[in-house]
Amino acid sequence: MVDKKKVIWLLSAYRSDSHAAWADGLIASFRNFDWFKLELSGRHFRWRIRGNPLSWIDKIPAEQPDLILATSMVDLATLKGLHPQLANTPCLYYFHENQFAYPISKQQHQSVDPQMVQLYGALAASKLLFNSAYNRDSFLKGVDQLLKRLPDEVPGNITSRLSIKTEVLPVAIKRIESQGEKNPQLILWNHRWEYDKAPQVFADALVKLKKLNIDFQLALLGVRAEKKPSYLMQIENEFNDQIIINEKVSKLNYQKYLQLSSIVVSTAIHEFQGLSMLEAVSAGAIPAVPDDLCYQEQYAEEFRYKAGDSDALAEKIIHYFNIRPAAPDISQYYDEALKQKWNDTLRE
């Protein structure tokens, strides 16, 4: 007699590139489970994080699953309240990010709503999974700070109640094998061109390199808005001769440029796991990362520079050109290292 597969609902309220790769990868990797997936497209952030129970109100099956795996964009508390059959269903709440440590741009309205969604969702979940210790710690610290600002009738044990349910379980990456010779002068940028990645720091560092007559080339990848941001235009105007690629490319070409690049740079002011950096490092690129965020637990001090300091970044790149250190070992983030832990977590 064949054992019945465990039924898991995967709920993802914001299908951005990284969330999509995570969801699709889990389903492809763990065919020993019976998956049901509900997703919403990665746009209209504030509507998504508050509105997903309404968007899904007629799409939730009547049958009760064995387990719910929901991202922290899902308003899990409201969802369970609208569907009483889910009241006792075990729920894993997966934090790709947390709204307590998310930088707000000048164009965004400051609101406590996204934080409250995640707080109530965390209280409603059986276990809280985080892709990094930084993500976990900044979430718990943010919850504690929020509760201290509330006027009255706040239980004193909320943060400790959440803390005992936490576990760090990173998103697994597929290793990109290094192939052939690298371009020793090629610097890679493979991030979104948005405020939370602080690309102006990158642009300012390149200006310093140029003033010092450093010979370098650029691979500029990553998603960019329809309206080209000023910092990207600055780089295009000032470093046109150094740019060998400047567009979001196919997956195959993306891997090719990662394999070709010698140095990969992050200037992020928001990063909870840094998948694009891990992918580039897996292909043999040397990382230059801020001494901040999740990077402190991933990379030794020799690969970090003072956060937000373009001069320090330029100096780090020059150091790499002179010393050529080996890329760090990040094998603990590979599929083969994490697959068993993910399987065990989903089987609990």
Side-chain angles (χ1 to χ4, degrees):
M1 185 176 182
V2 178
D3 290 338
K4 183 176 178 291
K5 289 184 177 181
K6 184 174 185 175
V7 177
I8 301 177
W9 290 3
L10 194 160
L11 308 180
S12 178
Y14 199 81
R15 188 179 166 87
S16 60
D17 288 348
S18 59
H19 291 211
W22 167 79
D24 295 346
L26 281 179
I27 292 173
S29 296
F30 299 104
R31 299 188 182 278
N32 50 320
F33 302 115
D34 185 1
W35 293 94
F36 170 77
K37 181 171 67 171
L38 273 181
E39 294 176 301
L40 295 168
S41 57
R43 59 177 183 266
H44 309 310
F45 167 79
R46 293 196 178 277
W47 163 234
R48 287 289 180 263
I49 199 168
R50 289 298 286 124
N52 55 83
L54 186 60
S55 297
W56 287 335
I57 196 165
D58 295 322
K59 298 179 181 179
I60 296 294
E63 301 81 8
Q64 182 179 345
D66 298 306
L67 177 70
I68 292 174
L69 173 60
T71 71
S72 61
M73 285 284 293
V74 174
D75 186 351
L76 186 60
T78 299
L79 193 75
K80 294 183 79 170
L82 291 172
H83 303 276
Q85 76 273 22
L86 303 179
N88 297 317
T89 301
C91 297
L92 304 178
Y93 206 38
Y94 193 78
F95 285 79
H96 291 277
E97 47 73 34
N98 78 77
Q99 290 300 306
F100 295 90
Y102 210 101
I104 302 297
S105 76
K106 295 177 182 178
Q107 289 74 40
Q108 290 176 320
H109 170 66
Q110 180 74 47
S111 170
V112 76
D113 275 1
Q115 296 176 351
M116 294 303 295
V117 166
Q118 293 190 332
L119 172 55
Y120 286 135
L123 288 167
S126 311
K127 181 179 283 190
L128 313 180
L129 304 175
F130 294 84
N131 58 2
S132 68
Y134 163 73
N135 194 355
R136 175 200 62 200
D137 295 346
S138 59
F139 172 74
L140 294 173
K141 180 180 178 181
V143 168
D144 193 53
Q145 291 174 338
L146 172 64
L147 295 177
K148 288 177 180 176
R149 297 201 308 269
L150 301 180
D152 61 10
E153 301 292 345
V154 179
N157 63 345
I158 295 297
T159 306
S160 59
R161 188 185 302 182
L162 295 176
S163 180
I164 60 175
K165 298 196 291 184
T166 65
E167 182 178 330
V168 175
L169 185 54
V171 175
I173 67 165
K174 294 187 182 297
R175 181 179 181 179
I176 300 173
E177 297 285 350
S178 183
Q179 293 184 356
E181 292 293 322
K182 284 190 170 291
N183 179 338
Q185 267 67 51
L186 187 57
I187 301 171
L188 171 69
W189 172 278
N190 59 336
H191 317 285
R192 288 181 285 106
W193 292 88
E194 295 184 20
Y195 75 98
D196 61 316
K197 303 302 181 183
Q200 189 62 57
V201 176
F202 179 53
D204 292 344
L206 296 179
V207 170
K208 184 174 181 65
L209 293 178
K210 187 174 183 179
K211 286 180 179 178
L212 294 173
N213 296 315
I214 303 299
D215 184 20
F216 65 90
Q217 293 180 307
L218 295 170
L220 306 177
L221 310 180
V223 178
R224 64 278 317 268
E226 288 185 16
K227 182 180 179 182
K228 192 175 293 185
S230 59
Y231 27 76
L232 179 54
M233 289 192 289
Q234 177 190 349
I235 293 173
E236 290 175 340
N237 292 335
E238 295 192 37
F239 306 101
N240 183 63
D241 292 342
Q242 283 95 346
I243 297 172
I244 68 169
I245 180 70
N246 179 23
E247 60 183 279
K248 183 183 179 183
V249 295
S250 68
K251 185 175 181 179
L252 185 62
N253 282 332
Y254 176 74
Q255 292 185 0
K256 181 186 78 173
Y257 284 109
L258 265 57
Q259 290 165 335
L260 190 61
S261 299
S262 288
I263 297 171
V264 59
V265 169
S266 170
T267 51
I269 59 173
H270 140 246
E271 202 67 84
F272 294 99
Q273 185 176 346
L275 293 175
S276 60
M277 289 297 295
L278 290 169
E279 289 172 340
V281 174
S282 80
I286 309 166
V289 298
D291 188 15
D292 200 2
L293 312 172
C294 64
Y295 298 129
Q296 291 181 330
E297 68 196 81
Q298 293 174 333
Y299 303 108
E301 187 176 356
E302 65 177 303
F303 300 108
R304 307 195 303 260
Y305 64 91
K306 184 179 178 182
D309 190 328
S310 58
D311 287 343
L313 173 56
E315 290 170 8
K316 181 66 69 176
I317 293 171
I318 293 169
H319 173 73
Y320 288 166
F321 281 155
N322 292 331
I323 303 299
R324 301 288 177 188
D329 178 13
I330 56 159
S331 58
Q332 69 268 33
Y333 293 99
Y334 294 163
D335 270 341
E336 53 268 31
L338 288 168
K339 188 169 185 177
Q340 188 59 54
K341 189 174 182 181
W342 267 103
N343 187 66
D344 292 345
T345 298
L346 294 172
R347 292 187 70 86
E348 288 179 359

